[in-house]
């Protein structure tokens, strides 16, 4: 059970239904909790620059991770794609940040180990493993097992208690049903790329920028090949030639992120390909919200509603055939259904009815985890020329035949009942 130590020495149970509500009192309590944590101080704004801030936000990926895919492997871009990630609501983001700061050193150590394992090493390195490296690999495996035991304790309830955030693996996972993990990202440095919205940077890029920021690298600026009087920081990232440019004097600075294969910087911000950077989250500056921002607002409104209105009706959504198809995802379908019913409720129910009760939809994903012996036989006798057609038939029509078979019928029923 996740808990957070209060600023006055008490312990606050984060799983209490009232504390999961996205209310002003809970937001103030969590904000006060964070301000009293020792690790928070270094993330506060340390300069007077308009590009400086200390507001950290947490995000979750719109698409689930692949099976056994580590969170550090995505996104495969230095700047998060527009519309690929949603911000957690204010209460949820503060709750995750408070838990993160309490164990920051431990969590960062585990995260950077995972990131290092995902990074591509020299070719042939796997063939040159020494006994020492094998020992290190064994120790890392033991560390992973240790953290897997602690996963439940680390989980931070979000979205009204329907999901939890595993800060060790940076996963967001459902509590009441079996579903895919979604990547969780800590937004500390942001970039404005081709629009007015500030998009979070990957943690590894943000950490390099933070190191340059704390050392006040703009005080060591010099003339660049482009003629710009600035400090250039070469960085490691997915993009070749990635670098940042810091300009400014004293406590006022500005920064841009750019990439060039030639190794020469262009005059970013002056018609070049650079993107403006800032430290700390800032809301969109457009008076007319973009489509992505409207979706974000809708997501937060749904979280607020679910966290404050009690559940009076429970609906289990059990799928039929076709869930083994590549693009089939019952969890996403139920999420869409939940949004549709919310729109219908706004049209046809009174504010009192909507404010006193709501319906909770639980997806029952019984097929993807079910392995039937007959499937192995079908796979072995499938010809390469008809493999595509056979896969479609196996994921749809065969489910009907399996259910009608006395051999597999009970296995399907048991799989549904185990959800």
């Amino acid at each position: 059970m996740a808990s957070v130590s209060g600023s006055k020495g008490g312990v606050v149970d984060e799983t209490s239904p009232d504390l999961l509500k996205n209310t002003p009192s809970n937001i103030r309590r969590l904000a006060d909790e964070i301000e009293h944590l020792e690790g928070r101080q270094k993330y506060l704004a340390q300069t007077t620059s308009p590009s400086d801030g200390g507001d950290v936000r947490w995000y979750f990926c719109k698409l689930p991770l692949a099976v056994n895919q580590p969170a550090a492997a995505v996104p495969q871009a230095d700047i998060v794609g527009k519309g690929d990630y949603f911000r957690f609501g204010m209460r949820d983001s503060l709750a995750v940040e408070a838990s993160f700061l309490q164990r920051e050193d431990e969590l960062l150590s585990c995260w950077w180990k995972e990131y290092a394992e995902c990074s591509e090493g020299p070719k042939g390195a796997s063939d040159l493993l020494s006994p020492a490296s094998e020992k290190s690999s064994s120790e890392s495996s033991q560390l992973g097992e240790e953290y897997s035991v602690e996963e439940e304790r680390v989980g931070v309830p979000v979205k009204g208690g329907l999901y939890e955030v595993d800060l060790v693996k940076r996963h967001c996972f459902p509590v009441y049903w079996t579903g895919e993990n979604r990547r969780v990202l800590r937004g500390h440095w942001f970039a404005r790329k081709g629009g007015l919205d500030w998009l979070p940077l990957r943690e590894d890029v943000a950490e390099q920028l933070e190191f340059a920021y704390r050392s006040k690298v703009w005080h060591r600026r010099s003339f660049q090949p482009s003629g710009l009087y600035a400090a250039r920081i070469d960085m490691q990232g997915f993009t070749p030639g990635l670098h940042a440019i810091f300009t400014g004097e004293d406590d006022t600075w500005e920064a841009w992120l750019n990439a060039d294969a030639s190794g020469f910087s262009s005059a970013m911000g002056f018609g070049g390909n650079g993107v403006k950077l800032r430290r700390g989250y800032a809301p969109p500056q457009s008076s007319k919200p973009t489509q992505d921002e409207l979706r974000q607002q809708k997501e937060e409104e749904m979280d607020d509603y679910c966290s404050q209105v009690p559940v009076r009706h429970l609906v289990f959504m059990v799928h039929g055939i076709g869930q083994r198809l590549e693009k089939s995802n019952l969890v996403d379908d139920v999420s869409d259904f939940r949004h549709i019913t919310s729109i219908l409720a706004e049209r046809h129910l009174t504010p009192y009815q909507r404010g006193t009760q709501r319906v909770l939809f639980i997806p029952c994903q019984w097929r993807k985890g079910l392995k039937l012996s007959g499937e192995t036989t079908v796979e072995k006798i499938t010809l390469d020329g008809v493999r595509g057609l056979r896969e479609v038939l196996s994921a749809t029509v065969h489910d009907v035949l399996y259910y009608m078979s006395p051999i597999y019928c009970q296995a399907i029923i048991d799989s549904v009942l185990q959800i």
Side-chain angles (χ1 to χ4, degrees):
M1 180 178 293
S3 63
V4 176
S5 300
S7 58
K8 296 183 180 180
V11 176
V12 179
D13 183 6
E14 280 293 326
T15 58
S16 172
D18 290 336
L19 296 181
L20 295 178
K21 294 181 178 180
N22 197 5
T23 59
S25 60
N26 281 335
I27 291 175
R28 286 194 300 269
R29 176 184 60 81
L30 287 167
D32 180 69
E33 172 70 26
I34 290 175
E35 293 303 321
H36 285 81
L37 292 173
E38 182 179 354
R40 168 62 178 161
Q41 302 307 312
K42 62 177 176 288
Y43 292 110
L44 297 176
Q46 301 174 15
T47 68
T48 58
S49 173
S51 300
D52 200 353
D55 191 359
V56 176
R57 291 295 183 91
W58 286 81
Y59 294 74
F60 65 95
C61 187
K62 184 178 179 180
L63 299 177
L65 291 167
V67 178
N68 297 326
Q69 182 182 26
V74 294
Q76 294 188 355
D78 302 306
I79 303 175
V80 169
K82 194 171 185 179
D84 293 344
Y85 281 70
F86 284 117
R87 289 192 308 273
F88 281 106
M90 180 61 76
R91 192 224 71 91
D92 291 344
S93 189
L94 289 172
V96 176
E97 179 67 6
S99 296
F100 172 81
L101 291 176
Q102 288 181 10
R103 305 176 58 203
E104 182 178 9
D105 292 340
E106 182 182 359
L107 293 171
L108 285 178
S109 175
C110 185
W111 169 253
W112 290 119
K113 281 185 173 67
E114 180 177 304
Y115 178 76
E117 292 173 358
C118 293
S119 300
E120 183 178 358
K123 293 183 178 180
S126 59
D127 299 329
L128 302 175
L129 284 176
S130 63
S133 62
E134 292 178 357
K135 179 180 178 181
S136 175
S137 177
S138 175
E139 291 175 352
S140 299
S141 176
Q142 293 175 1
L143 180 64
E145 293 177 0
E146 176 184 345
Y147 278 114
S148 65
V149 174
E150 296 182 348
E151 179 176 342
E152 184 176 355
R153 181 172 65 87
V154 176
V156 181
V158 293
K159 293 184 170 293
L162 290 180
Y163 291 82
E164 287 189 1
V165 171
D166 177 0
L167 286 172
V168 174
K169 298 181 179 179
R170 304 215 176 186
H171 288 171
C172 182
F173 58 93
V175 175
Y176 298 111
W177 65 88
T178 302
E180 297 95 339
N181 295 312
R182 295 177 187 266
R183 164 78 150 96
V184 171
L185 183 142
R186 185 174 186 261
H188 183 210
W189 280 80
F190 297 80
R192 189 164 61 194
K193 183 179 181 181
L196 298 175
D197 295 342
W198 290 99
L199 304 175
L201 299 174
R202 276 181 56 100
E203 292 94 338
D204 55 310
V205 177
E207 188 68 18
Q208 296 174 72
L209 290 171
E210 182 68 10
F211 181 80
Y213 165 83
R214 292 181 186 175
S215 62
K216 296 186 176 181
V217 69
W218 59 90
H219 288 173
R220 302 193 298 272
R221 59 193 182 279
S222 60
F223 282 105
Q224 300 297 317
S226 62
L228 189 66
Y229 190 49
R232 169 171 170 149
I233 307 299
D234 292 315
M235 306 172 66
Q236 297 293 326
F238 278 100
T239 307
L242 184 70
H243 60 273
I245 291 290
F246 281 82
T247 65
E249 296 182 6
D250 299 328
D251 283 345
T252 301
W253 58 271
E254 289 185 331
W256 292 266
L257 190 68
N258 200 4
D260 50 40
S262 63
F264 294 97
S265 174
S266 61
M268 292 182 295
F270 302 95
N273 297 322
V275 292
K276 185 71 180 295
L277 297 175
R278 70 163 285 113
R279 181 178 183 265
Y281 172 76
Q285 299 176 350
S286 174
S287 57
K288 184 179 180 180
T290 62
Q291 197 66 29
D292 291 324
E293 190 61 28
L294 289 175
R295 285 200 298 266
Q296 173 68 53
Q297 292 176 5
K298 198 67 178 178
E299 186 77 18
E300 292 187 6
E301 289 173 1
M302 178 63 71
D303 290 346
D304 293 346
Y305 175 75
C306 292
S307 67
Q308 298 180 40
V309 179
V311 175
R312 293 287 184 256
H313 305 278
L314 181 62
V315 177
F316 291 98
M317 309 286 287
V318 183
H319 65 78
I321 64 174
Q323 277 299 302
R324 293 178 61 209
L325 293 173
E326 182 179 357
K327 295 185 178 180
S328 297
N329 192 316
L330 178 67
V331 176
D332 289 341
D333 294 339
V334 172
S335 178
D336 293 338
F337 187 83
R338 189 181 297 117
H339 282 284
I340 292 173
T341 56
S342 175
I343 295 173
L344 293 175
E346 292 177 358
R347 292 179 181 176
H348 302 290
L349 298 181
T350 65
Y352 174 79
Q353 290 174 319
R354 296 199 308 271
T356 55
Q357 59 180 338
R358 67 182 177 92
V359 182
L360 177 61
F361 299 95
I362 301 293
C364 298
Q365 181 68 275
W366 58 267
R367 187 60 179 96
K368 287 191 175 181
L370 178 62
K371 303 297 181 183
L372 301 174
S373 59
E375 296 173 349
T376 304
T377 304
V378 172
E379 176 66 23
K380 290 180 178 179
I381 64 175
T382 298
L383 300 176
D384 292 336
V386 295
R387 184 167 298 277
L389 176 61
R390 179 59 63 84
E391 288 178 352
V392 173
L393 292 175
S394 297
T396 53
V397 178
H398 286 187
D399 280 351
V400 178
L401 300 179
Y402 285 134
Y403 182 72
M404 296 176 64
S405 166
I407 301 176
Y408 303 110
C409 179
Q410 191 59 46
I412 293 176
I413 294 175
D414 292 341
S415 179
V416 176
L417 295 177
Q418 289 175 3
I419 299 298

